[in-house]
Amino acid sequence: MTQGERRVRITTTMRATRKFVGLATVMSVIVLAWLAIHRTAAVAKESPLAMHCAEFAGTVLSPELIAMPTAGALIESASMIGATAPGNQQGDEYCRITGRIKALNASTPDIRFDLNLPRRWNGRALQIGGGGYNGVVVSGTGVMPFSPDRAPLAQGYATFGDDSGHVGDSSLAEFGLVDDAVTNFGYAHLKKTHDVALALIARAYGRPPQRMYFAGGSTGGREGYTVMQRFPDDYDGVIANSPALNFSGVRLIGVKLGQAEYGGAGGFVPPALLERVYQRTLEVCDRLDAVADGIVSDVEACRAHEAQIIDSLRCALHTSTHDACLTDAQVATLLVMRDGLSLPYRLAWDVGGYHGYNVFEGTQLTGALGLAHQAQRQPVPTFYANGYLFAQGDGYLRYFVARDADFDSLSFDPQRPGKYRAQLIALSGTIGSMSTDLSGYIAHGGKLITLQGLADEVISPNQTIAYHDALVARFGKDEVDRFMRLYMVPGFQHGSGVFIPSVDLLGALDAWVTRGVAPETLTATDLAAATNGRSRPLCRYPGFPRYVGKGNVNMASSFVCAQP
């Protein structure tokens, strides 16, 4: 087959499907178009794929295959990865495809993507989200975070991901200067990559996937909620963990936190004192679930002791040199994080701020993603030196909001943003997933699983809970229970913590979608190094694990899911 024969040509009748109306019909037309063009029955009989893997290389996909405006896509490489190839831990061979989706504007970065087509396909596809500010292609070949060892690709899923439309470390926000790159990062890359992958999967196997899933955490969790809200007919199931739903809100509270630490005298809380706060919390709250296991499980009961904990940590003489207690300025810094952010204006979807964190309920703030480790602010804040929340918020203000690399975030007032208010509001609609209108996804029959740590120090667990409660207020508890499961995990932080759960969420989602088996209490195995292998029940919100008073404290069977 020549290069010209491999080029995709779709008639102009496809153009009418490019609007966001009847997306299911769009996909049907796309698939039929592929099949009409590539009727290679003989090849299909010779191989599990409808064409040989290497023949994808150099293929150009027409813009009409993609429901959002692009200049088409180019397949840069395609090769079979052998079952015994170095680095292939999947146990079977698969076709690995890499490519890029071209923008209409030549100055807009391409969206780079990877697609993996297993020889033994289970008829399902899984799109995998990114993290932070993305910028690195999601390969789709590995094990899902906090899941059992067998990767989705090894289970027969066709997997794919992308870089969201720019190149760079996930901490870098410079691409915020490019409008189209911001739109791609916010939502457009998800649809564009989905449509390209769907067309290639249909071409490879001779039929589209029976089920299309999405899975991601943090930014990838936000992306999961984004596809449900914006492209509800494209997905049958979503796993969206620790979701950065209120993206602008978490960036603004990061700025407020940095201002408390560095904007005045004495606000910096050194790591030793942060650890003292954590240990005092354990002293008061660890046994509230009937066992001392290093985990604050009954967070609501612990919250009732919050005033007691804070008072026991205050410096009676308010001395700034004391190394075993908190000054008023240091307490004020921690209260900024606990209280969250309230705005006198509304962001997109009538959002009025950001919910606070469980600072005094078992959240450890000394890790790599915690609060600042240095008393001096760096000219360009870094995660470790100045704290993850502040460093990310500072970059957001510089490049997305002010669009000035020299902008001083310490001088910015989120409550009174002045000339930047309109930009803040616009960004919150582009990069954010706070809409509670999931009616399209519900009507489609889609399912959702969200898991998050109650000790998360990056994405507030209370923000995620508030969104769930807003869904209940809109649709009613019974309706929400029919399509959503929320699991809040005690002791789990943003990828670390004293309890790091391993649980097969993809298996639970697939059983729910394909067989109607709705997940209830699951069992999570701890991945934390010090306690690896112990287990706990993974309780549906608002439940939490409570020790029954007897039995092995390292076994989930010794716990029940209690209500706060």
Side-chain angles (χ1 to χ4, degrees):
M1 181 179 293
T2 67
Q3 174 72 20
E5 291 172 326
R6 289 198 299 264
R7 291 182 179 271
V8 179
R9 294 293 183 262
I10 305 295
T11 65
T12 55
T13 57
M14 283 291 295
R15 299 186 187 276
T17 66
R18 296 188 63 192
K19 302 293 183 182
F20 293 154
V21 179
L23 291 179
T25 302
V26 174
M27 293 300 98
S28 298
V29 174
I30 289 173
V31 171
L32 290 173
W34 272 111
L35 297 180
I37 295 171
H38 300 282
R39 293 190 182 97
T40 52
V43 174
K45 292 178 181 179
E46 295 172 3
S47 168
L49 303 181
M51 64 179 293
H52 295 294
C53 178
E55 293 183 4
F56 280 106
T59 296
V60 176
L61 279 72
S62 169
E64 281 74 16
L65 281 174
I66 306 168
M68 300 190 73
T70 72
L74 169 67
I75 305 306
E76 295 183 307
S77 69
S79 60
M80 290 298 295
I81 306 299
T84 60
N88 181 8
Q89 302 177 1
Q90 311 311 315
D92 201 354
E93 64 178 348
Y94 64 95
C95 175
R96 181 159 182 77
I97 294 173
T98 68
R100 59 183 64 229
I101 303 169
K102 310 293 291 185
L104 292 177
N105 188 335
S107 64
T108 301
D110 296 338
I111 300 170
R112 300 175 299 154
F113 67 90
D114 285 4
L115 170 64
N116 309 290
L117 303 172
R119 184 173 64 87
R120 302 178 191 270
W121 187 41
N122 65 8
R124 298 161 176 80
L126 175 67
Q127 184 172 4
I128 303 173
Y133 281 115
N134 290 336
V136 178
V137 178
V138 176
S139 72
T141 59
V143 176
M144 291 177 61
F146 319 118
S147 293
D149 292 338
R150 198 154 179 253
L153 179 58
Q155 299 176 48
Y157 286 87
T159 63
F160 60 99
D162 61 74
D163 66 357
S164 82
H166 63 275
V167 177
D169 184 87
S170 64
S171 66
L172 300 177
E174 286 90 339
F175 71 94
L177 298 171
V178 182
D179 287 340
D180 288 344
V182 171
T183 301
N184 277 334
F185 173 71
Y187 61 90
H189 77 101
L190 299 165
K191 177 61 175 171
K192 294 172 183 178
T193 302
H194 166 277
D195 288 359
V196 168
L198 181 64
L200 291 172
I201 291 169
R203 179 178 180 181
Y205 297 108
R207 59 186 174 92
Q210 295 171 312
R211 304 293 181 187
M212 177 69 75
Y213 298 145
F214 187 97
S218 194
T219 285
R222 170 184 64 81
E223 291 170 344
Y225 278 83
T226 296
V227 299
M228 290 187 295
Q229 293 166 19
R230 291 183 181 269
F231 316 114
D233 292 328
D234 285 351
Y235 299 87
D236 302 294
V238 169
I239 298 170
N241 296 336
S242 309
L245 299 170
N246 188 352
F247 192 86
S248 291
V250 73
R251 294 300 179 251
L252 291 178
I253 197 174
V255 171
K256 289 290 290 185
L257 191 57
Q259 290 170 345
E261 292 173 299
Y262 299 114
F268 171 72
V269 187
L273 273 180
L274 292 173
E275 183 62 21
R276 176 71 186 113
V277 172
Y278 174 67
Q279 293 299 330
R280 179 59 181 149
T281 300
L282 290 181
E283 292 169 8
V284 175
C285 298
D286 187 0
R287 291 182 178 272
L288 294 176
D289 61 349
V291 64
D293 57 358
I295 304 172
V296 176
S297 291
D298 193 346
V299 168
E300 290 308 311
C302 184
R303 206 181 308 280
H305 295 273
E306 190 173 89
Q308 168 196 344
I309 294 171
I310 294 173
D311 287 344
S312 71
L313 292 166
R314 285 185 185 272
C315 296
L317 300 178
H318 310 296
T319 171
S320 61
T321 59
H322 205 294
D323 60 359
C325 60
L326 296 170
T327 66
D328 284 350
Q330 291 168 333
V331 170
T333 294
L334 295 181
L335 292 183
V336 167
M337 191 172 185
R338 182 205 69 177
D339 294 341
L341 179 68
S342 180
L343 300 173
Y345 55 93
R346 287 291 186 262
L347 300 174
W349 301 295
D350 201 36
V351 170
Y354 193 79
H355 288 260
Y357 297 74
N358 296 328
V359 174
F360 302 101
E361 289 80 30
T363 301
Q364 195 169 24
L365 298 174
T366 55
L369 299 181
L371 296 190
H373 285 72
Q374 293 182 9
Q376 291 78 36
R377 177 204 177 192
Q378 303 296 311
V380 177
T382 63
F383 292 172
Y384 185 81
N386 304 126
Y388 181 90
L389 289 175
F390 177 47
Q392 292 284 52
D394 179 85
Y396 187 65
L397 283 186
R398 289 175 190 255
Y399 296 105
F400 285 77
V401 179
R403 298 193 142 179
D404 177 1
D406 297 322
F407 187 80
D408 181 9
S409 62
L410 295 185
S411 67
F412 181 79
D413 185 354
Q415 271 85 12
R416 288 170 287 275
K419 65 181 182 179
Y420 302 114
R421 177 171 167 172
Q423 177 71 348
L424 274 175
I425 294 172
L427 285 169
S428 68
T430 301
I431 315 171
S433 305
M434 288 296 288
S435 171
T436 58
D437 185 4
L438 294 181
S439 55
Y441 191 66
I442 295 171
H444 179 68
K447 307 301 182 185
L448 164 65
I449 297 177
T450 287
L451 177 150
Q452 180 166 357
L454 281 164
D456 198 319
E457 73 279 38
V458 173
I459 301 302
S460 170
N462 299 309
Q463 180 70 71
T464 301
I465 290 170
Y467 181 87
H468 168 270
D469 292 348
L471 289 178
V472 171
R474 178 167 186 157
F475 296 106
K477 184 177 184 302
D478 290 345
E479 182 71 2
V480 172
D481 287 346
R482 276 191 282 271
F483 80 91
M484 181 181 186
R485 289 293 182 268
L486 175 61
Y487 297 96
M488 302 301 297
V489 187
F492 183 38
Q493 302 206 185
H494 203 71
S496 63
V498 294
F499 188 90
I500 305 174
S502 173
V503 60
D504 184 12
L505 294 184
L506 182 58
L509 180 71
D510 187 56
W512 196 5
V513 171
T514 61
R515 303 199 307 275
V517 181
E520 297 297 334
T521 300
L522 304 175
T523 298
T525 302
D526 192 1
L527 296 177
T531 49
N532 188 276
R534 67 176 172 175
S535 60
R536 291 288 185 274
L538 199 62
C539 302
R540 288 181 56 190
Y541 171 78
F544 67 92
R546 183 191 290 278
Y547 184 56
V548 298
K550 59 181 179 180
N552 188 337
V553 297
N554 292 318
M555 298 293 292
S557 57
S558 300
F559 292 78
V560 296
C561 287
Q563 298 299 307

